[in-house]
Amino acid sequence: MHEYALLLASALSAGTPLALASLGLLINEKSGVVNLGAEGMMLMAAIAGFAVAVATGNQWLAFGAGAVVGSVLAAAIGVLVLWLGTNQYATGLAMSLFGAGLSAFLGMNDVGRNLAPFGHVHIPWLSDLPFFGAALFSHHLMVYATMLFAWGIHVFLHRTRAGLVLRAVGEAPESAHALGYPVRRIRLAALMVGGALCGIAGAYLSVIYTPMWVQGMTAGRGWIALALTTFATWRPARVLLGAYLFGGVTMLQFYLQGRGVQVPAQLLSMLPYLATIVVLALISRNPTWIRINMPASLGKVFRPAA
Amino acid sequence: MQNRDRIRYLGAALAASAAGLPALARSASPLKVGFIYVGPVGVAGWSYAHDQARKAMQAHFGGKVVTQFVENVPEGPDAARVLRDLAQQGNELIYATSFGFMESVLRVARDFPKVRFEHATGYKTAANVGTYDARTYEGAYMAGVVAGGMSKTGVLGVVGSVPIPEVLRNINSFTLGAQSVNAKIKTKVVWVNKWFDPPKETEAATSLVNQGADVLFQNTDSPAVLETAEKLGKYAFGWDSDMAKFGPKAHLASAVINWTPVYVDETGKVLAGTWKPEQIWWGVRHDAIDLVSINPAVPAAIRKRVAMVKAGLKNGSFHIWQGPILGQNGATVLAAGAIGDDKFLHGIDFYVKGVEGQVPGK
């Protein structure tokens, strides 16, 4: 029984970096900008966060560094895409490749360097509960912060005026522009906030999840986060579900291998991707639902008419 | 002298001097030796061990040898490109230090018949390709003895890299070593399908601990498994090189490979002009394998047992793969009294009794 509690716990912690990156991308896409540079941002933030953690020993500074790096890279994409009018997909892709290469170069001396592990939270009564204590209440603070972010983003988007403006910019930028809202600046702000979240995800990977740096350590999580946002039809709660599902099945396949299940290990390692796609596609198959939730101007260049 | 004779004389003189050139070249310029590594050298692990031996070999031969290495070479078409590049740069001896370089080595060797290639852990040779390997299963067995003595739950966990005979042999030898101390030992195996992938190794190690393993073993190249064990309060081993500093409390011992004897021997043969393609497989007897940095918490009886095994391997009186050995389903894979020879060892594609799970791909 304890094994299942631990499995659930590892699902939550494995899904957290995905959830964080996906939430960041959700903000980006709600404002109408597709950010394909998530993978590069996460890697750059991972090396930045790791370097700061090694230098200062403070994990929150490391998260801050990751957020800053993510923001800066997102701002770079923003300037290129919003003011210079470059193709969003190509620019994002270029940023991914750039981030991957630069992080590998900067992190050359950090490969294999030691980092003392940071502790998990211990809530006085809740952590000692028989099953749910280990499963839900003994995580690193960032896991709980992610859930808070998801709730906060939902409230922001659907209950505040600023969120309404953001959604408007994503749905009909021409109308928003006509109403006097600075479309490009709002999109830039959304990009930077989203980039910061991607950065925190990257820092979480290299500082908390595997306290080590190795090049390419995100192993495609940025791309998975991108797909997750789309499959979850831009709803924060579904993003969380998809991320935890993915993390859970990743750990489940190791669990099944250890149990001696007679399925080839290679097939089992396909399982997380397959499961997430299937589940989310099933939940989100209503075409009306998709039409309602997808930002109408996603990926399209906006040039304010003179 | 007629023109015809002049030309003949000139031609003969040129041919004579050209023939003498290589001999002149060898004594004047140092032997260029190249190395390719599958992963980063870093601070521990497979490629680190190779690089340490490269440096030791270089120091041994001083100015007679000049070495260069390329790290992070993926096993695939890129490997052929890098090998070709090294050969064209004038390296006369090239060490390819991973199993997956096999086809690339053979292909490039055909195009450069004058260059000698040594392929680590491979099994195909050619006129200018030899193979070399270390009996890592001896280190795995000794680690198993320590694991058997230290495990309280009787469940061991192995993070497997790629399901090739070498790794299966190591998992089996680890289990046999543990069972020599505690016959009821069970081993769980989880495969990450990579040689080096710290995040995945961490997940695999966590999953093994969650399933009750309290001593972990690995065939992967990074200290991630040891660090995970340290974080979760379990035990683990270092692999390929001494990893004691990555998990001060969790580290039980490191099964290390010392490639220096092989490198000194082979490079020396090339220098002396006596090199020929061989299939070398050295272990404790040639100082190529050892179990080091044994944790003080390990009881004296276990240490003594390890020392006895080491001495027995050194003088040839002890054989790890000596029958009767049973397979997973109880059938005999090695008859009583029989000793597994190299051919048997190379062909291991099964799990011994006590290892849980199915061999991938069977």
Side-chain angles (χ1 to χ4, degrees):
Chain A
M1 203 50 189
H2 189 63
E3 278 181 40
Y4 297 116
L6 291 172
L7 193 57
L8 188 54
S10 37
L12 288 183
S13 73
T16 295
L18 268 181
L20 279 169
S22 266
L23 289 171
L25 290 167
L26 188 150
I27 299 178
N28 290 344
E29 296 196 359
K30 272 293 189 190
S31 79
V33 182
V34 172
N35 181 4
L36 284 181
E39 181 83 354
M41 276 182 218
M42 283 175 76
L43 279 169
M44 283 297 293
I47 184 61
F50 184 78
V52 167
V54 164
T56 66
N58 183 328
Q59 55 180 323
W60 304 111
L61 279 178
F63 282 122
V68 167
V69 166
S71 258
V72 166
L73 288 176
I77 294 185
V79 167
L80 283 167
V81 160
L82 299 169
W83 275 273
L84 296 177
T86 60
N87 181 295
Q88 291 182 15
Y89 300 94
T91 311
L93 219 65
M95 178 57 73
S96 267
L97 294 171
F98 173 71
L102 187 60
S103 62
F105 176 70
L106 291 174
M108 259 186 338
N109 293 325
D110 282 305
V111 178
R113 200 190 283 259
N114 240 3
L115 186 64
F118 293 106
H120 286 206
V121 101
H122 182 87
I123 310 173
W125 178 71
L126 290 168
S127 292
D128 299 317
L129 287 176
F131 178 85
F132 294 105
L136 298 177
F137 297 111
S138 307
H139 286 288
H140 186 267
L141 272 171
M142 192 47 74
V143 176
Y144 305 115
T146 308
M147 301 182 201
L148 264 170
F149 284 146
W151 177 79
I153 290 174
H154 172 80
V155 165
F156 171 76
L157 283 176
H158 297 281
R159 300 258 185 277
T160 67
R161 186 172 179 75
L164 184 60
V165 172
L166 185 75
R167 281 188 291 140
V169 163
E171 297 290 341
E174 278 84 11
S175 313
H177 179 69
L179 281 169
Y181 289 112
V183 168
R184 289 186 294 186
R185 260 182 276 160
I186 292 176
R187 282 183 169 178
L188 183 66
L191 264 174
M192 289 179 72
V193 170
L197 277 174
C198 284
I200 296 179
Y204 178 85
L205 265 179
S206 70
V207 172
I208 307 292
Y209 193 62
T210 319
M212 189 186 295
W213 162 259
V214 64
Q215 70 179 39
M217 73 183 295
T218 51
R221 282 190 183 80
W223 303 112
I224 298 169
L226 212 54
L228 207 56
T229 317
T230 307
F231 280 116
T233 60
W234 300 273
R235 311 278 301 186
R238 291 194 184 179
V239 162
L240 268 190
L241 170 70
Y244 293 144
L245 182 71
F246 187 88
V249 181
T250 307
M251 294 307 283
L252 181 70
Q253 64 106 345
F254 283 129
Y255 176 80
L256 288 175
Q257 279 190 51
R259 265 271 186 263
V261 160
Q262 308 285 42
V263 180
Q266 291 91 337
L267 270 175
L268 282 177
S269 49
M270 259 171 43
L271 219 52
Y273 306 87
L274 218 57
T276 313
I277 293 176
V278 165
V279 168
L280 289 180
L282 280 175
I283 311 180
S284 314
R285 68 189 180 282
N286 188 336
T288 316
W289 185 253
I290 297 178
R291 235 197 341 261
I292 293 176
N293 281 294
M294 174 167 164
S297 75
L298 193 60
K300 302 201 184 84
V301 172
F302 171 74
R303 285 193 189 83
Chain B
M1 198 190 269
Q2 295 225 324
N3 269 347
R4 192 180 51 214
D5 295 320
R6 271 206 193 97
I7 293 171
R8 279 208 198 111
Y9 174 68
L10 215 57
L14 270 170
S17 46
L21 261 173
L24 227 62
R26 169 47 33 80
S27 56
S29 64
L31 174 71
K32 290 185 78 172
V33 184
F35 289 77
I36 61 170
Y37 306 142
V38 69
V41 168
V43 293
W46 177 263
S47 300
Y48 176 76
H50 279 283
D51 202 58
Q52 290 297 101
R54 175 189 67 85
K55 291 188 187 146
M57 185 265 285
Q58 168 84 82
H60 182 262
F61 286 112
K64 286 194 268 184
V65 154
V66 82
T67 62
Q68 70 179 113
F69 70 92
V70 182
E71 58 184 333
N72 272 324
V73 180
E75 294 168 330
D78 265 338
R81 182 182 56 79
V82 175
L83 285 167
R84 219 175 279 279
D85 193 43
L86 283 175
Q88 280 163 347
Q89 283 182 48
N91 286 287
E92 293 179 59
L93 171 61
I94 299 181
Y95 291 99
T97 63
S98 182
F99 178 78
F101 293 143
M102 185 159 64
E103 295 305 326
S104 307
V105 166
L106 290 168
R107 208 172 333 132
V108 177
R110 275 198 292 272
D111 294 337
F112 291 90
K114 293 250 175 35
V115 178
R116 297 163 204 81
F117 293 85
E118 285 283 349
H119 179 222
T121 72
Y123 57 86
K124 290 191 188 165
T125 58
N128 58 341
V129 178
T131 63
Y132 65 104
D133 199 354
R135 295 186 189 259
T136 47
Y137 66 90
E138 293 180 352
Y141 183 88
M142 291 192 280
V145 169
V146 176
M150 297 297 286
S151 172
K152 296 199 184 55
T153 61
V155 179
L156 308 176
V158 178
V159 176
S161 46
V162 179
I164 57 176
E166 170 195 336
V167 179
L168 294 171
R169 192 170 54 232
N170 289 339
I171 296 175
N172 288 334
S173 304
F174 179 67
T175 308
L176 290 173
Q179 284 170 344
S180 74
V181 174
N182 175 356
K184 297 220 236 8
I185 284 282
K186 297 243 166 303
T187 305
K188 286 183 188 269
V189 185
V190 166
W191 298 94
V192 296
N193 292 308
K194 297 276 280 291
W195 291 106
F196 180 81
D197 191 342
K200 255 209 160 139
E201 294 174 48
T202 306
E203 284 171 352
T206 310
S207 150
L208 283 167
V209 169
N210 287 352
Q211 292 177 59
D214 64 345
V215 181
L216 298 179
F217 184 64
Q218 68 186 74
N219 249 222
T220 49
D221 285 354
S222 84
V225 175
L226 180 55
E227 288 189 351
T228 309
E230 176 89 7
K231 187 164 76 166
L232 298 172
K234 307 288 175 198
Y235 288 125
F237 291 91
W239 183 250
D240 292 340
S241 73
D242 192 346
M243 292 183 175
K245 65 177 179 179
F246 291 97
K249 292 198 295 273
H251 179 261
L252 284 178
S254 281
V256 301
I257 312 179
N258 181 8
W259 297 104
T260 312
V262 176
Y263 287 152
V264 168
D265 193 69
E266 290 301 304
T267 312
K269 286 201 181 121
V270 172
L271 280 172
T274 59
W275 186 90
K276 44 184 213 317
E278 292 177 287
Q279 294 193 290
I280 296 178
W281 202 10
W282 285 356
V284 172
R285 188 190 296 211
H286 290 91
D287 286 326
I289 293 285
D290 201 359
L291 192 74
V292 300
S293 297
I294 303 185
N295 194 321
V298 175
I302 300 289
R303 286 163 186 278
K304 209 166 114 185
R305 211 189 169 106
V306 170
M308 268 170 33
V309 167
K310 212 188 287 194
L313 288 169
K314 199 132 187 146
N315 63 26
S317 61
F318 178 71
H319 299 275
I320 293 173
W321 285 87
Q322 177 162 22
I325 294 186
L326 302 174
Q328 246 183 337
N329 49 13
T332 307
V333 292
L334 198 58
I339 294 177
D341 62 358
D342 281 2
K343 188 151 172 285
F344 171 83
L345 292 172
H346 275 126
I348 292 181
D349 60 354
F350 54 83
Y351 282 146
V352 297
K353 198 159 173 54
V355 181
E356 296 182 0
Q358 190 194 28
V359 175
K362 279 206 75 178

